[in-house]
Amino acid sequence: MQTVLFLFPQLNLSAPKEEPYRIIKQENQEGKGENKNRLKEKRNRLSLLLQKAESREIFIPFPSKPEKSNTPPDEPPKWSESLDQLLAHKSGLGLFRAFLQSEYSEENIEFWMACEDYKKTKSPAKLASKAKKIYSDFIETDAPKEVNIDFRTKEVTKKNTQLPTLSCFDLAQSKVHTLMEKDSYPRFLKSEFYRDLLKQAPVENNGQRRRSQSFTSAGLLQNSEFTAWL
């Protein structure tokens, strides 16, 4: 009976008439507060992402402030020719890695990049420490970024790292390259991540070449999948 009288204050002579409206107003204020919290959370996520990119914790080949990139606009269409074409370009490699990070599956590309860096090692004294680091990060069982390779490849790689050479990770790197080529690379080509960049590539218009907007970090942040990642 108390609830009925509360919902219909005109039946309750002792209840203030403005009480229901005060409650509604309070609910509206709470709704506005939630919206403000969501916006604040999104801004915080974006700020954290850009801070990590600047500190190279997350590698994104685009500057944190909108500015022109050195990537020729006609380069992205070439990335669909092969995975090697994509990885051969710094911007392509960076975008591919960002795509895999959005899927929480970046361990394969990070291992591939670590191997490429390892093969550039000029000091024999550094080979052992680098080989140990790569093995413990990517190869051994329950490694923090363990890649999906077969047992035989693991064993061969483990043996190779005991007397490290520049080629001791070649077999494992080849296996991971094949995995990316068959799995993540086709998904990347079909993603909005990549297709949105293709829309910015040069097109033929009445016999004249027209360039669309240059690649910028702001343009990347407008990408729907990238925004969803934030």
Side-chain angles (χ1 to χ4, degrees):
M1 180 62 70
Q2 291 178 353
T3 302
V4 173
L5 292 176
F6 178 77
L7 294 176
F8 301 91
Q10 64 273 21
L11 299 180
N12 184 3
L13 300 178
S14 62
K17 294 183 178 180
E18 69 275 11
E19 182 66 19
Y21 304 101
R22 187 182 66 80
I23 295 175
I24 294 174
K25 183 178 181 181
Q26 181 179 355
E27 291 177 350
N28 290 337
Q29 291 176 345
E30 291 177 354
K32 291 180 180 179
E34 291 179 359
N35 291 333
K36 289 182 179 179
N37 290 335
R38 291 194 189 100
L39 292 175
K40 183 178 180 180
E41 183 180 355
K42 288 183 179 180
R43 287 196 297 267
N44 290 339
R45 288 182 180 179
L46 176 58
S47 177
L48 178 61
L49 177 66
L50 293 178
Q51 289 175 5
K52 288 184 177 181
E54 291 174 355
S55 64
R56 298 182 183 276
E57 292 179 17
I58 296 178
F59 176 83
I60 301 178
F62 296 90
S64 58
K65 296 180 181 180
E67 58 183 39
K68 289 185 178 180
S69 168
N70 293 328
T71 303
D74 57 350
E75 189 174 280
K78 299 177 182 178
W79 301 344
S80 63
E81 296 176 5
S82 68
L83 176 60
D84 289 332
Q85 277 280 2
L86 174 66
L87 301 181
H89 295 87
K90 182 179 179 180
S91 295
L93 171 60
L95 187 64
F96 184 53
R97 184 179 179 185
F99 166 73
L100 293 180
Q101 286 175 327
S102 73
E103 295 191 333
Y104 303 98
S105 59
E106 67 270 23
E107 64 278 354
N108 285 337
I109 190 60
E110 289 187 358
F111 171 68
W112 184 91
M113 293 171 65
C115 291
E116 290 296 294
D117 178 73
Y118 174 81
K119 288 186 287 188
K120 297 176 183 178
T121 304
K122 297 181 179 181
S123 172
K126 294 182 179 180
L127 283 179
S129 60
K130 280 191 172 184
K132 183 179 179 180
K133 174 68 173 173
I134 294 174
Y135 181 82
S136 63
D137 283 351
F138 299 100
I139 303 297
E140 68 179 0
T141 303
D142 295 328
K145 298 180 181 181
E146 184 180 2
V147 293
N148 184 19
I149 54 178
D150 59 272
F151 177 78
R152 174 182 171 276
T153 302
K154 279 179 176 285
E155 289 300 302
V156 170
T157 304
K158 181 179 180 180
K159 182 178 179 180
N160 289 344
T161 55
Q162 294 175 358
L163 292 173
T165 63
L166 292 178
S167 60
C168 68
F169 291 104
D170 283 0
L171 178 60
Q173 186 182 17
S174 175
K175 296 284 186 178
V176 167
H177 181 281
T178 300
L179 286 174
M180 293 192 296
E181 193 171 41
K182 293 181 178 180
D183 180 31
S184 52
Y185 175 60
R187 292 201 314 275
F188 169 77
L189 296 180
K190 296 176 182 179
S191 70
E192 291 185 19
F193 235 78
Y194 178 60
R195 289 187 298 177
D196 282 357
L197 283 185
L198 288 182
K199 294 176 183 178
Q200 302 178 27
V203 296
E204 297 295 331
N205 185 15
N206 296 328
Q208 295 181 348
R209 193 182 189 194
R210 178 176 59 84
R211 290 178 182 268
S212 59
Q213 65 181 37
S214 59
F215 302 115
T216 65
S217 60
L220 182 60
L221 291 175
Q222 291 174 356
N223 180 281
S224 59
E225 290 192 15
F226 192 87
T227 303
W229 180 33
L230 300 179

